Amino acid sequence: MRIRLGRIERYVLAQQLRALAVALAVISALVMLIDFVEVSRGLNSSGELSGARIFGLVLLKSPTVIIQLLPFVFLFGTLAAFVGLNRRSELIAMRAAGVSAWRFVLPAAGAALVLGVLSVTVFGPMAAAGDGLWQRERGRISGSTPGSDAQQAVWLREGDAARQMIIRGGQQDPASGRLLDASFFIYTTTADGRRTFSERIDATTASLTAGRWRLTNATGAQTGQRAVRYATLDLPSNLADEEAFQRFARPQSTPFWSLPNQIQRIEDAGFASTAYRLRLQQLLATPLMFAAMSILAAAFSLRLMRLGDLAKMTVAAVVLGFAFFFVNQFSSAMGSAEVVPPFLAAWLPPVLTALAAFTLLFYTEDG
């Protein structure tokens, strides 16, 4: 099915895209200016970083914040586009010619939906990669030195539904990646779902290769039994060699396409994946939020100039947009705290925004 837009729809859509570009540029400039000041004060207290270096760090840090503020880009951009059309009496002419508001509001919402999909599938992963680089660079600049992790204890966890292992390494050899002075605490899962401690194994070294832990000079003791010594001992592992000693990235630093595997990996390790499930559902609901914000802004700006109160309606749209944004933040907090399911916490705010926008548009268009 081929969707064809008339001249009016194309004109209104062009006005909306131009206004969205301006709104995006303004918000991006404000975010980057704030981040530049923050990075300059936080990481450049000694004055060793050049302005170009600070700007490069800002380019890594700012996109994640800008993407979080994209609902306001669609709110302010669409509002500016339709208010401009209204002030130039172009909307009056369209309505007088019998053009329904749905003809130019729905294409605007469709454009927001498409841009939302692109932001989730293309721009979001790029911003997530930049955020991961920013976190590493910040840690390195703020005082971490190569090899410092070798002096810190390493904690890992892995397993499945039948068995869980908590692994502690006194140190990690930076040259070979082996764990030194390692301890393995093994738990088994009973039929009723409870985990019971079954065995502890201490080893001089522990190396992860080919889906197994190779322990040397190990001593193992099961509950209620005498200790047994092993020159070498192999334990099955479901950790990938290249991922084993990497910390789980923050939900904001995890690309959309990697979230399902990350959730599975976290759950296989026995950790709670609520924050990552919430992040995945929020990304899936993002296009709907963008479209709802566009419809909301358009509905508030359709009031004819001769009827007055356009300024009040514009302010009301901005206030209502901020209200829905704070509802979204509150819902996210409730989802992170597991007060409500992640699916409900992610989808409720955009659905409420869309219902409010459609209700206002029906009232404005059909009375």
Side-chain angles (χ1 to χ4, degrees):
M1 179 179 179
R2 185 177 180 182
I3 300 177
R4 299 183 63 182
L5 298 178
R7 181 175 299 178
I8 293 178
E9 290 86 348
R10 292 198 303 270
Y11 175 75
V12 174
L13 191 58
Q15 296 296 317
Q16 182 202 20
L17 294 177
R18 186 179 296 111
L20 288 177
V22 173
L24 178 61
V26 171
I27 290 180
S28 299
L30 290 176
V31 170
M32 294 181 69
L33 179 61
I34 295 172
D35 284 343
F36 190 91
V37 174
E38 180 183 348
V39 173
S40 299
R41 291 181 177 180
L43 296 183
N44 198 32
S45 57
S46 61
E48 297 178 355
L49 298 178
S50 63
R53 177 60 172 161
I54 296 174
F55 184 72
L57 294 174
V58 169
L59 290 179
L60 296 177
K61 182 178 185 295
S62 297
T64 54
V65 181
I66 295 172
I67 286 182
Q68 291 178 4
L69 296 178
L70 281 181
F72 289 109
V73 171
F74 285 89
L75 176 67
F76 296 145
T78 305
L79 192 63
F82 279 85
V83 168
L85 292 172
N86 205 337
R87 288 188 180 277
R88 296 191 298 269
S89 299
E90 291 174 318
L91 284 183
I92 298 177
M94 296 177 192
R95 304 293 293 279
V99 178
S100 172
W102 294 101
R103 282 186 57 182
F104 44 82
V105 171
L106 289 183
L113 198 69
V114 172
L115 292 174
V117 173
L118 289 176
S119 70
V120 171
T121 58
V122 179
F123 306 125
M126 295 170 60
D131 184 72
L133 289 174
W134 153 249
Q135 296 296 330
R136 290 191 290 272
E137 288 296 313
R138 183 180 63 174
R140 187 182 65 83
I141 295 173
S142 61
S144 299
T145 57
S148 60
D149 289 343
Q151 304 302 324
Q152 300 177 1
V154 177
W155 288 90
L156 302 172
R157 184 172 177 175
E158 64 165 302
D160 50 29
R163 189 187 70 160
Q164 292 283 326
M165 286 198 308
I166 298 177
I167 306 163
R168 180 192 181 278
Q171 295 180 11
Q172 183 181 358
D173 185 358
S176 62
R178 297 181 305 170
L179 295 181
L180 308 179
D181 190 19
S183 298
F184 289 71
F185 303 89
I186 302 175
Y187 294 80
T188 57
T189 304
T190 60
D192 56 1
R194 293 184 303 169
R195 293 195 180 112
T196 59
F197 176 76
S198 62
E199 185 178 7
R200 170 174 175 170
I201 302 175
D202 297 316
T204 303
T205 64
S207 303
L208 179 61
T209 55
R212 65 178 181 178
W213 287 100
R214 169 61 62 89
L215 280 58
T216 61
N217 193 20
T219 302
Q222 297 184 358
T223 304
Q225 299 184 13
R226 299 180 59 181
V228 180
R229 296 184 179 276
Y230 307 92
T232 59
L233 178 64
D234 290 340
L235 296 178
S237 173
N238 56 15
L239 292 177
D241 300 358
E242 66 277 6
E243 298 176 342
F245 303 107
Q246 295 178 1
R247 294 180 179 179
F248 293 124
R250 300 186 311 155
Q252 294 79 7
S253 301
T254 306
F256 170 76
W257 303 108
S258 301
L259 274 171
N261 291 334
Q262 183 80 316
I263 291 172
Q264 186 63 44
R265 183 175 161 226
I266 290 172
E267 292 180 345
D268 289 343
F271 293 103
S273 61
T274 303
Y276 296 86
R277 288 187 175 276
L278 176 62
R279 177 64 175 170
L280 177 61
Q281 294 299 326
Q282 286 176 332
L283 290 177
L284 293 175
T286 295
L288 177 60
M289 175 62 82
F290 290 175
M293 283 293 191
S294 297
I295 297 174
L296 185 68
F300 269 104
S301 58
L302 288 177
R303 186 177 180 86
L304 300 180
M305 288 289 294
R306 60 182 176 82
L307 298 180
D309 295 333
L310 180 61
K312 294 181 180 179
M313 295 289 285
T314 303
V315 173
V318 174
V319 171
L320 191 59
F322 273 100
F324 279 118
F325 180 79
F326 286 116
V327 167
N328 187 36
Q329 296 300 106
F330 178 77
S331 182
S332 297
M334 293 295 100
S336 299
E338 299 184 0
V339 177
V340 296
F343 179 85
L344 182 62
W347 285 92
L348 183 61
V351 168
L352 290 178
T353 306
L355 290 177
F358 276 112
T359 300
L360 181 61
L361 190 58
F362 275 119
Y363 177 80
T364 303
E365 179 66 10
D366 302 323

